Amino acid sequence: MYPRPGPLLLALGALTAATPATAQTPQDSVLSVVHRLFDGMRRGDSAIVRSVFDSSVQFLSVSEKDGVTTATPRSVDAFVAAVGTPHEQVYDERIWDVRVEVDRGLASVWAKYAFYLGDTFNHCGVDVFGLVQRADGWKIVYLADTERHTDCWRGPGG
């Protein structure tokens, strides 16, 4: 014979059975990749930063000067070296007004951002990510951003 469970154990079992596990939505899964990128930047950890990118990733920096918009391609290796190595001040990119769209294995993320060096505000802009679902999870296949040093927003609480 086995001992009978006490009332506390039965109550805990009932609570566990009555509380279904919350499944992560595709939007949550996609956004977690973007947050992992920013975590890697804050830590200065190139392994984390590199892990979010697909091998085919494309970077594009969009800027405007004297009313003319330019789009400049960037190298993933240069980006990883710049943000994924230890630095004196924490590279802290904060996003809000995030829009995530998912259709099967394709996703996009559009967000306003403010970039801080440590606690000091540096610049703002918009990030646009394209992601594709691979066998090992969502990977960033393109990243385009703008960078402003004037007319900046600082986000909620900024």
Side-chain angles (χ1 to χ4, degrees):
M1 285 192 111
Y2 297 101
R4 296 177 65 152
L8 180 59
L9 187 58
L10 287 173
L12 286 173
L15 278 175
T16 304
T19 309
T22 304
Q24 191 174 37
T25 67
Q27 290 80 1
D28 292 336
S29 297
V30 166
L31 199 51
S32 73
V33 174
V34 173
H35 288 299
R36 193 165 59 244
L37 168 62
F38 296 144
D39 288 343
M41 288 170 56
R42 278 189 286 278
R43 294 178 184 164
D45 186 325
S46 62
I48 293 173
V49 171
R50 175 103 37 207
S51 74
V52 301
F53 295 118
D54 189 72
S55 61
S56 67
V57 67
Q58 301 287 311
F59 279 82
L60 196 61
S61 183
V62 179
S63 60
E64 185 178 313
K65 185 174 182 177
D66 300 326
V68 177
T69 301
T70 59
T72 307
R74 296 184 307 182
S75 152
V76 66
D77 293 329
F79 179 81
V80 170
V83 303
T85 55
H87 21 267
E88 192 174 312
Q89 296 176 308
V90 172
Y91 288 7
D92 186 13
E93 190 155 339
R94 304 171 190 177
I95 60 173
W96 70 97
D97 289 347
V98 178
R99 291 178 281 190
V100 180
E101 298 291 336
V102 178
D103 183 41
R104 298 182 184 235
L106 176 67
S108 68
V109 176
W110 177 287
K112 291 180 178 176
Y113 76 87
F115 185 83
Y116 290 78
L117 291 173
D119 293 327
T120 304
F121 175 79
N122 187 267
H123 65 274
C124 73
V126 170
D127 286 327
V128 180
F129 298 90
L131 296 92
V132 172
Q133 191 168 33
R134 300 294 192 204
D136 58 344
W138 289 97
K139 296 293 181 179
I140 298 170
V141 292
Y142 75 81
L143 169 55
D145 66 359
T146 62
E147 184 176 320
R148 303 178 189 194
H149 293 273
T150 60
D151 300 324
C152 272
W153 48 70
R154 304 219 180 161

